[in-house]
Amino acid sequence: MAEQALISADYQPAEDAFDGRVILVTGATGGIGSAVCRRLAAAGATVVILDKDLKALESLYDRIVEDNHPEPAIYPMNLEGATFDNFPEVAQRIREGLGRLDGLLHAAATMGKPAPVELYDMETWYKTLQVNLNAAFMLTQACLPLLRESDRGSIVFTSDASGRNGHKAYGGAYAVSNAGLEGLMRVLAAELAETTSVCVNTLDPGIVATGLRQKDFPFENPLDLTQPQQVAGAFLRLLGPDGRSHHGQALSVEPAPA
């Protein structure tokens, strides 16, 4: 079983920690994805921003460039409808355009719908597992050759407590997909431990005020929740040189002091 531990979000990388590094982020225009992308760019990384919303990608691109950070690379892609051939193409375009890949953050996710398994809608089940689990597997597989070439490659799967405590009723496809990510991480970490320097971990950011959260909990006041920028530091730590001590771990963001 993967080791579970807390990781502080109060992290600032060294000035040159991400200089010349290339990091691919899925779900890049979401709350957490966007916050992490901007922090990575501020730390010197060239970020490949992947998402289905082209307009939002262009807006994120503009914000990073306006802040005088390294120019990001836009990659519009709808993970829900992506086919087997689309994922190797992502890796190939990164290799041709940027020449390297040092980190991969899976931040894309969809909630599906809470319902008993007996009554769960088949189409929703398929779409949720496709975005949250199948796409993460296929993109990771496609990018592994590039990540192996890095001197400190890192893969981070954004997870959730439901994936580690999957006994909760009515969690549906979302809980199952997160449990699958935890299993994928453990298997991949064991396979890579003796053959490469690539580190693989899952990170549960906790309850964060994102658009995904607001969609499923519309009566919640987002101002009462942890903000995306407050957890971004934990992702940067795992993607950078200071995260090398973590491998095969099911990590959670340490709650801020009350």
Side-chain angles (χ1 to χ4, degrees):
M1 185 175 182
E3 180 184 348
Q4 297 193 36
L6 295 177
I7 183 168
S8 174
D10 186 19
Y11 171 76
Q12 291 287 344
E15 280 191 20
D16 60 349
F18 288 94
D19 285 358
R21 300 284 165 169
V22 176
I23 311 292
L24 169 60
V25 179
T26 73
T29 68
I32 291 175
S34 177
V36 174
C37 285
R38 295 187 69 191
R39 286 281 303 273
L40 283 168
T46 296
V47 189
V48 182
I49 50 177
L50 186 153
D51 205 292
K52 64 182 178 181
D53 189 336
L54 178 57
K55 187 174 181 180
L57 283 172
E58 291 173 340
S59 177
L60 177 59
Y61 173 95
D62 290 341
R63 292 180 74 179
I64 291 174
V65 171
E66 287 167 5
D67 288 336
N68 294 315
H69 300 321
E71 182 182 7
I74 291 179
Y75 204 107
M77 185 176 186
N78 186 345
L79 296 177
E80 183 182 302
T83 66
F84 301 125
D85 294 335
N86 295 139
F87 297 95
E89 184 180 337
V90 176
Q92 184 60 30
R93 286 180 60 182
I94 291 174
R95 182 181 291 279
E96 292 174 353
L98 299 170
R100 64 185 299 157
L101 184 64
D102 302 285
L104 170 56
L105 168 58
H106 295 282
T110 183
M111 288 287 284
K113 296 178 181 178
V117 170
E118 185 177 8
L119 303 176
Y120 209 89
D121 177 71
M122 292 294 180
E123 184 176 357
T124 302
W125 180 274
Y126 174 82
K127 289 180 178 179
T128 304
L129 264 70
Q130 171 66 13
V131 172
N132 296 359
L133 179 58
N134 295 338
F137 156 70
M138 289 186 280
L139 185 58
T140 298
Q141 185 184 65
C143 290
L144 267 174
L146 268 172
L147 289 165
R148 284 179 178 274
E149 294 171 13
S150 172
D151 59 335
R152 51 177 172 88
S154 179
I155 302 170
V156 180
F157 298 97
T158 306
S159 188
D160 183 273
S162 64
R164 301 170 186 176
N165 305 294
H167 57 277
K168 183 178 180 181
Y170 312 117
Y174 179 72
V176 171
S177 63
N178 277 300
L181 284 178
E182 295 291 338
L184 173 59
M185 180 276 289
R186 290 194 293 269
V187 171
L188 184 58
E191 291 176 355
L192 297 179
E194 303 299 330
T195 62
T196 178
S197 62
V198 178
C199 293
V200 187
N201 299 281
T202 58
L203 180 61
D204 171 17
I207 297 175
V208 181
T210 64
L212 190 66
R213 176 81 187 181
Q214 190 169 23
K215 180 180 177 182
D216 285 86
F217 298 91
F219 302 109
E220 211 170 44
N221 183 354
L223 297 178
D224 293 336
L225 305 178
T226 300
Q227 299 302 303
Q229 61 269 24
Q230 292 178 282
V231 300
F235 288 92
L236 261 70
R237 176 165 184 163
L238 291 179
L239 290 165
D242 294 327
R244 304 305 297 168
S245 60
H246 299 288
H247 181 66
Q249 293 183 295
L251 299 158
S252 298
V253 174
E254 186 174 11

